[in-house]
Amino acid sequence: TKTPVLVGAVAMGLNVVFSVLFSSWFARIGWLALGGLALANSLATALEAAGLLILMHRKLSWLEGRRILKGTAAAALAAAIMGLVIWAWLGLTSEKAAWLAGVGGVIIGCGVYGLIIIALKVPEIQSVFNLVRRRLSPAYK
């Protein structure tokens, strides 16, 4: 229990440092400083997850590193494609109301990401579908 707490504390410290650096950098280049905070949180969390995975893999030799890496790569690919689609969407809606661009971006982003994850046959999505199916089936009730 000590190791995850220590890794979490280091990640929290990195988040603070990254937040200061990225928000000031984003403001200097003319972007919203809030984007720097989002990037800082994402980077610190990714580093925390990677650190914990490495440490867990050392202690738990049965941990399926290849399977985790495959799922992570699929999620990264889906996120990259989703980002490109949302970027195009924002370009198309730059003259429209902000709420339309925002709500439409969320709906389109979720749809694109979900479809790509399903198309790549990420095993975790099948687990989610099975869980929903069990919850909705009459035999469960």
Side-chain angles (χ1 to χ4, degrees):
T1 58
K2 181 174 36 171
T3 303
V5 171
L6 290 174
V7 172
V10 169
M12 197 180 319
L14 284 174
N15 193 0
V16 170
V17 171
F18 291 159
S19 293
V20 171
L21 292 174
F22 292 154
S23 62
S24 63
W25 175 48
F26 274 41
R28 259 182 299 175
I29 62 175
W31 294 354
L32 287 175
L34 292 174
L37 296 176
L39 177 61
N41 189 40
S42 297
L43 182 58
T45 303
L47 289 173
E48 179 182 16
L52 286 171
L53 182 61
I54 290 167
L55 293 170
M56 284 177 58
H57 189 40
R58 287 183 184 161
K59 290 186 180 211
L60 306 172
S61 58
W62 51 266
L63 192 66
E64 299 176 29
R66 247 188 254 293
R67 183 172 178 222
I68 292 170
L69 185 60
K70 183 180 173 188
T72 302
L77 176 64
I81 294 170
M82 176 192 69
L84 290 173
V85 170
I86 290 175
W87 185 35
W89 169 254
L90 292 176
L92 291 172
T93 59
S94 62
E95 303 295 321
K96 306 290 184 212
W99 70 267
L100 176 64
V103 171
V106 168
I107 293 168
I108 291 169
C110 288
V112 166
Y113 185 84
L115 288 173
I116 293 170
I117 289 294
I118 292 168
L120 293 174
K121 298 180 179 166
V122 174
E124 290 80 4
I125 198 67
Q126 191 60 45
S127 298
V128 170
F129 287 151
N130 290 339
L131 178 68
V132 170
R133 210 172 301 138
R134 277 197 313 267
R135 290 280 182 172
L136 296 178
S137 75
Y140 181 75
K141 298 173 182 174

